[in-house]
Coordinates of all heavy atoms in Angstrom, one line a residue:
L228 N -2.7 12.4 -4.3 CA -3.3 11.2 -4.8 C -2.7 11.0 -6.2 O -3.4 11.1 -7.2 CB -4.8 11.2 -4.9 CG -5.5 9.9 -5.0 CD1 -5.1 8.9 -3.9 CD2 -7.0 10.0 -5.1
Y229 N -1.4 10.7 -6.2 CA -0.6 10.7 -7.4 C 0.6 9.8 -7.1 O 1.3 10.0 -6.1 CB -0.1 12.1 -7.8 CG 0.4 12.2 -9.2 CD1 -0.4 12.2 -10.3 CD2 1.8 12.2 -9.4 CE1 0.1 12.3 -11.6 CE2 2.4 12.3 -10.7 CZ 1.5 12.4 -11.8 OH 2.0 12.5 -13.0
P230 N 0.8 8.7 -7.9 CA 1.8 7.7 -7.5 C 3.3 8.3 -7.4 O 3.7 9.1 -8.3 CB 1.7 6.6 -8.6 CG 0.4 6.9 -9.2 CD 0.1 8.3 -9.1
W231 N 4.0 7.8 -6.4 CA 5.4 8.2 -6.3 C 6.2 7.8 -7.5 O 7.1 8.6 -8.0 CB 6.0 7.6 -5.0 CG 5.9 8.4 -3.8 CD1 5.1 8.2 -2.8 CD2 6.6 9.6 -3.5 NE1 5.2 9.2 -1.8 CE2 6.2 10.0 -2.2 CE3 7.7 10.3 -4.2 CZ2 6.7 11.2 -1.6 CZ3 8.2 11.4 -3.5 CH2 7.7 11.8 -2.3
E232 N 5.9 6.7 -8.1 CA 6.8 6.3 -9.2 C 6.6 7.2 -10.4 O 7.4 7.3 -11.3 CB 6.5 4.8 -9.6 CG 5.1 4.5 -10.1 CD 4.1 4.1 -9.0 OE1 4.4 4.4 -7.8 OE2 3.1 3.5 -9.3
W233 N 5.4 7.8 -10.6 CA 5.2 8.8 -11.6 C 5.9 10.1 -11.3 O 6.5 10.7 -12.1 CB 3.7 9.1 -11.8 CG 2.9 7.9 -12.3 CD1 3.3 6.6 -12.6 CD2 1.5 7.9 -12.6 NE1 2.3 5.8 -13.0 CE2 1.2 6.6 -13.0 CE3 0.5 8.8 -12.5 CZ2 -0.1 6.2 -13.4 CZ3 -0.8 8.5 -12.9 CH2 -1.1 7.2 -13.3
L234 N 5.7 10.5 -10.0 CA 6.2 11.8 -9.6 C 7.7 11.9 -9.8 O 8.2 12.9 -10.2 CB 5.9 11.9 -8.1 CG 5.8 13.3 -7.5 CD1 4.8 14.2 -8.1 CD2 5.6 13.2 -6.0
L235 N 8.4 10.8 -9.5 CA 9.9 10.8 -9.5 C 10.4 10.7 -10.9 O 11.6 11.0 -11.2 CB 10.4 9.7 -8.7 CG 10.2 9.8 -7.2 CD1 10.6 8.6 -6.4 CD2 10.8 11.1 -6.6
Q236 N 9.6 10.4 -11.9 CA 10.0 10.4 -13.3 C 9.8 11.7 -14.0 O 10.3 11.9 -15.1 CB 9.2 9.3 -14.1 CG 9.6 7.9 -13.6 CD 8.7 6.9 -14.3 OE1 7.9 7.2 -15.2 NE2 8.9 5.6 -14.0
E237 N 9.2 12.7 -13.3 CA 8.9 13.9 -13.9 C 9.9 15.0 -13.5 O 10.6 14.9 -12.5 CB 7.4 14.3 -13.6 CG 6.4 13.3 -14.2 CD 5.0 13.6 -13.6 OE1 4.8 14.6 -12.9 OE2 4.1 12.8 -14.0
E238 N 9.8 16.2 -14.2 CA 10.7 17.3 -13.8 C 10.4 17.7 -12.3 O 11.3 18.1 -11.6 CB 10.4 18.5 -14.7 CG 11.3 19.7 -14.4 CD 11.1 20.8 -15.4 OE1 10.3 20.6 -16.3 OE2 11.6 21.9 -15.2
F239 N 9.1 17.6 -11.9 CA 8.7 17.9 -10.6 C 9.6 17.2 -9.6 O 10.0 17.7 -8.5 CB 7.2 17.5 -10.5 CG 6.6 17.8 -9.2 CD1 5.7 18.9 -9.1 CD2 6.7 17.1 -8.0 CE1 5.1 19.3 -7.9 CE2 6.1 17.4 -6.8 CZ 5.2 18.5 -6.8
G240 N 9.9 15.9 -9.9 CA 10.5 15.0 -8.9 C 11.9 15.4 -8.5 O 12.4 15.1 -7.4
Q241 N 12.6 16.1 -9.4 CA 14.0 16.4 -9.2 C 14.2 17.4 -8.1 O 15.3 17.6 -7.5 CB 14.7 17.0 -10.5 CG 14.1 18.3 -10.9 CD 14.8 18.8 -12.2 OE1 16.0 18.8 -12.3 NE2 14.0 19.2 -13.1
H242 N 13.1 18.1 -7.7 CA 13.2 19.2 -6.6 C 12.8 18.6 -5.3 O 13.0 19.3 -4.3 CB 12.3 20.3 -7.0 CG 12.6 21.0 -8.3 ND1 13.8 21.7 -8.5 CD2 11.9 21.1 -9.4 CE1 13.8 22.1 -9.8 NE2 12.6 21.8 -10.3
I243 N 12.3 17.4 -5.2 CA 11.8 16.9 -3.9 C 12.8 16.8 -2.8 O 12.6 17.2 -1.7 CB 11.1 15.5 -4.1 CG1 9.8 15.7 -5.0 CG2 10.7 14.9 -2.8 CD1 9.2 14.4 -5.4
A244 N 14.0 16.3 -3.2 CA 15.0 16.1 -2.2 C 15.5 17.4 -1.5 O 15.8 17.5 -0.3 CB 16.2 15.4 -2.8
N245 N 15.5 18.5 -2.3 CA 15.9 19.8 -1.8 C 14.8 20.7 -1.3 O 15.1 21.8 -0.8 CB 16.7 20.5 -2.9 CG 17.9 19.7 -3.3 OD1 18.6 19.1 -2.5 ND2 18.2 19.7 -4.6
G246 N 13.6 20.3 -1.5 CA 12.4 21.1 -1.1 C 12.1 20.9 0.4 O 12.7 20.1 1.1
R247 N 11.2 21.8 0.8 CA 10.8 21.7 2.3 C 9.4 21.1 2.5 O 8.9 21.2 3.6 CB 10.8 23.1 2.8 CG 12.1 23.9 2.7 CD 12.2 25.1 3.6 NE 11.0 25.9 3.6 CZ 10.9 27.0 2.8 NH1 11.9 27.3 2.0 NH2 9.8 27.7 2.8
T248 N 8.9 20.5 1.4 CA 7.6 19.9 1.5 C 7.6 18.6 2.2 O 8.4 17.7 1.8 CB 6.9 19.8 0.1 OG1 6.9 21.1 -0.5 CG2 5.5 19.3 0.2
T249 N 6.6 18.3 3.1 CA 6.4 17.0 3.7 C 5.2 16.4 2.9 O 4.2 17.0 2.7 CB 6.0 17.1 5.1 OG1 7.1 17.7 5.9 CG2 5.6 15.8 5.7
F250 N 5.5 15.2 2.4 CA 4.5 14.5 1.5 C 3.7 13.5 2.3 O 4.2 12.7 3.1 CB 5.2 13.9 0.3 CG 5.7 14.8 -0.7 CD1 6.9 15.4 -0.6 CD2 4.9 15.1 -1.8 CE1 7.4 16.3 -1.5 CE2 5.4 16.0 -2.8 CZ 6.6 16.6 -2.6
I251 N 2.4 13.5 2.0 CA 1.5 12.4 2.5 C 0.9 11.8 1.2 O 0.2 12.5 0.5 CB 0.4 13.0 3.4 CG1 1.0 13.7 4.6 CG2 -0.5 11.8 3.9 CD1 0.0 14.4 5.5
E252 N 1.1 10.6 0.9 CA 1.9 9.6 1.6 C 3.4 9.9 1.5 O 3.8 10.4 0.4 CB 1.5 8.2 1.1 CG 0.1 7.8 1.4 CD -0.3 7.8 2.9 OE1 0.5 7.3 3.7 OE2 -1.3 8.4 3.3
P253 N 4.2 9.4 2.5 CA 5.6 9.6 2.5 C 6.3 8.7 1.4 O 5.7 7.8 0.9 CB 6.0 9.3 3.9 CG 5.0 8.3 4.4 CD 3.7 8.8 3.7
A254 N 7.5 9.1 1.1 CA 8.3 8.4 0.1 C 8.5 6.9 0.4 O 8.6 6.1 -0.6 CB 9.6 9.0 -0.2
Y255 N 8.5 6.5 1.6 CA 8.6 5.1 1.9 C 7.5 4.2 1.4 O 7.6 3.0 1.3 CB 8.9 4.8 3.4 CG 7.8 5.0 4.4 CD1 6.7 4.2 4.5 CD2 7.9 6.1 5.3 CE1 5.7 4.3 5.4 CE2 6.9 6.3 6.2 CZ 5.8 5.4 6.3 OH 4.8 5.6 7.2
K256 N 6.3 4.9 1.1 CA 5.2 4.1 0.5 C 5.6 3.7 -0.9 O 4.9 2.8 -1.5 CB 4.0 5.0 0.4 CG 3.4 5.3 1.8 CD 2.9 4.0 2.5 CE 2.1 4.2 3.7 NZ 0.7 4.6 3.6
L257 N 6.7 4.2 -1.5 CA 7.2 3.7 -2.8 C 7.6 2.2 -2.6 O 7.5 1.4 -3.5 CB 8.4 4.5 -3.3 CG 8.9 4.2 -4.6 CD1 7.9 4.5 -5.7 CD2 10.2 5.1 -4.9
L258 N 8.1 1.9 -1.4 CA 8.3 0.5 -1.1 C 7.1 -0.3 -0.8 O 6.8 -1.4 -1.4 CB 9.2 0.4 0.2 CG 10.7 0.6 0.1 CD1 11.3 0.5 1.4 CD2 11.4 -0.3 -0.9
F259 N 6.2 0.2 0.0 CA 5.0 -0.5 0.4 C 4.1 -0.8 -0.8 O 3.5 -1.9 -0.8 CB 4.2 0.3 1.4 CG 4.8 0.3 2.8 CD1 6.1 0.2 3.0 CD2 4.0 0.4 3.9 CE1 6.7 0.2 4.3 CE2 4.5 0.5 5.2 CZ 5.9 0.4 5.4
S260 N 4.0 0.1 -1.7 CA 3.1 -0.1 -2.9 C 3.7 -0.9 -4.0 O 3.1 -1.2 -5.0 CB 2.6 1.3 -3.4 OG 3.7 2.0 -3.9
N261 N 5.0 -1.2 -3.8 CA 5.7 -2.0 -4.8 C 5.5 -3.5 -4.6 O 5.7 -4.0 -3.6 CB 7.2 -1.7 -4.6 CG 8.1 -2.3 -5.7 OD1 7.8 -3.3 -6.3 ND2 9.2 -1.6 -6.0
K262 N 4.9 -4.1 -5.7 CA 4.5 -5.5 -5.5 C 5.7 -6.5 -5.4 O 5.6 -7.6 -5.0 CB 3.6 -5.9 -6.7 CG 2.3 -5.2 -6.7 CD 1.4 -5.6 -7.8 CE 0.2 -4.8 -7.9 NZ 0.5 -3.3 -8.1
A263 N 6.9 -6.0 -5.7 CA 8.1 -6.8 -5.4 C 8.3 -7.0 -3.9 O 9.0 -7.9 -3.5 CB 9.4 -6.1 -6.1
M264 N 7.7 -6.1 -3.1 CA 7.8 -6.3 -1.7 C 7.1 -7.6 -1.3 O 7.4 -8.2 -0.2 CB 7.2 -5.1 -0.9 CG 8.0 -3.9 -0.9 SD 9.4 -4.1 0.3 CE 8.6 -3.6 1.8
L265 N 6.2 -8.1 -2.1 CA 5.5 -9.4 -1.8 C 6.6 -10.5 -1.8 O 6.4 -11.5 -1.1 CB 4.4 -9.7 -2.8 CG 3.2 -8.7 -2.8 CD1 2.4 -8.9 -4.1 CD2 2.4 -8.9 -1.5
V266 N 7.6 -10.4 -2.7 CA 8.7 -11.3 -2.7 C 9.5 -11.3 -1.4 O 9.8 -12.3 -0.8 CB 9.6 -11.1 -3.9 CG1 10.8 -12.0 -3.9 CG2 8.8 -11.2 -5.2
V267 N 9.8 -10.0 -1.0 CA 10.6 -9.8 0.2 C 9.8 -10.4 1.4 O 10.4 -11.0 2.3 CB 10.9 -8.3 0.4 CG1 11.6 -8.1 1.7 CG2 11.7 -7.8 -0.8
L268 N 8.5 -10.1 1.5 CA 7.7 -10.6 2.6 C 7.8 -12.1 2.7 O 7.9 -12.7 3.8 CB 6.2 -10.2 2.4 CG 5.9 -8.7 2.7 CD1 4.5 -8.4 2.3 CD2 6.1 -8.4 4.2
W269 N 7.7 -12.8 1.5 CA 7.7 -14.2 1.5 C 9.0 -14.8 2.0 O 9.1 -15.8 2.6 CB 7.3 -14.8 0.1 CG 7.1 -16.3 0.1 CD1 7.9 -17.2 -0.6 CD2 6.1 -17.0 0.7 NE1 7.5 -18.4 -0.3 CE2 6.4 -18.4 0.4 CE3 5.0 -16.7 1.5 CZ2 5.5 -19.4 0.9 CZ3 4.2 -17.7 2.0 CH2 4.5 -19.1 1.7
E270 N 10.1 -14.0 1.6 CA 11.4 -14.4 2.1 C 11.6 -14.3 3.6 O 12.2 -15.1 4.2 CB 12.5 -13.6 1.3 CG 12.6 -13.9 -0.2 CD 13.5 -13.0 -0.9 OE1 13.9 -12.0 -0.3 OE2 13.8 -13.3 -2.1
L271 N 11.0 -13.2 4.1 CA 11.2 -12.9 5.5 C 10.2 -13.7 6.4 O 10.5 -14.0 7.5 CB 11.0 -11.4 5.8 CG 12.0 -10.4 5.2 CD1 11.6 -9.0 5.5 CD2 13.4 -10.7 5.7
F272 N 9.0 -14.0 5.9 CA 8.0 -14.7 6.6 C 7.5 -15.9 5.8 O 6.3 -15.9 5.4 CB 6.9 -13.7 6.9 CG 7.3 -12.4 7.6 CD1 7.4 -11.3 6.9 CD2 7.5 -12.4 9.0 CE1 7.8 -10.1 7.5 CE2 7.9 -11.3 9.6 CZ 8.0 -10.1 8.9
P273 N 8.4 -16.8 5.5 CA 8.0 -18.0 4.7 C 6.8 -18.8 5.4 O 6.8 -19.0 6.6 CB 9.3 -18.8 4.6 CG 10.1 -18.4 5.8 CD 9.8 -17.0 6.0
D274 N 5.9 -19.1 4.5 CA 4.7 -19.9 5.0 C 3.8 -19.2 6.0 O 3.0 -19.8 6.7 CB 5.2 -21.3 5.6 CG 6.0 -22.1 4.6 OD1 5.5 -22.2 3.5 OD2 7.0 -22.7 5.0
H275 N 3.9 -17.9 6.0 CA 3.0 -17.1 6.9 C 1.6 -17.3 6.4 O 1.3 -17.3 5.2 CB 3.4 -15.6 6.9 CG 2.6 -14.8 7.9 ND1 1.3 -14.5 7.7 CD2 3.0 -14.4 9.1 CE1 0.9 -13.8 8.8 NE2 1.9 -13.7 9.6
P276 N 0.6 -17.6 7.3 CA -0.7 -18.0 6.8 C -1.4 -16.9 6.0 O -2.4 -17.2 5.3 CB -1.4 -18.2 8.2 CG -0.6 -17.6 9.2 CD 0.8 -17.6 8.7
N277 N -1.0 -15.6 6.1 CA -1.7 -14.6 5.4 C -1.0 -14.2 4.1 O -1.4 -13.3 3.4 CB -1.8 -13.3 6.2 CG -2.7 -13.5 7.5 OD1 -2.3 -13.2 8.6 ND2 -3.9 -14.1 7.3
L278 N 0.1 -14.9 3.8 CA 0.8 -14.6 2.5 C 0.7 -15.7 1.5 O 0.5 -16.9 1.9 CB 2.3 -14.4 2.8 CG 2.7 -13.3 3.8 CD1 4.2 -13.3 4.0 CD2 2.3 -11.9 3.2

Side-chain angles (χ1 to χ4, degrees):
L228 196 57
Y229 192 79
W231 270 105
E232 65 270 19
W233 295 1
L234 203 61
L235 295 173
Q236 292 176 0
E237 300 171 2
E238 183 180 355
F239 186 100
Q241 67 180 314
H242 302 295
I243 292 175
N245 299 321
R247 304 198 309 268
T248 300
T249 297
F250 287 85
I251 304 174
E252 295 300 314
Y255 69 73
K256 290 296 187 79
L257 187 62
L258 280 181
F259 284 31
S260 62
N261 188 328
K262 295 180 186 64
M264 283 286 276
L265 295 167
V266 177
V267 178
L268 286 171
W269 187 248
E270 292 171 349
L271 295 177
F272 306 98
D274 299 319
H275 189 282
N277 297 130
L278 297 178

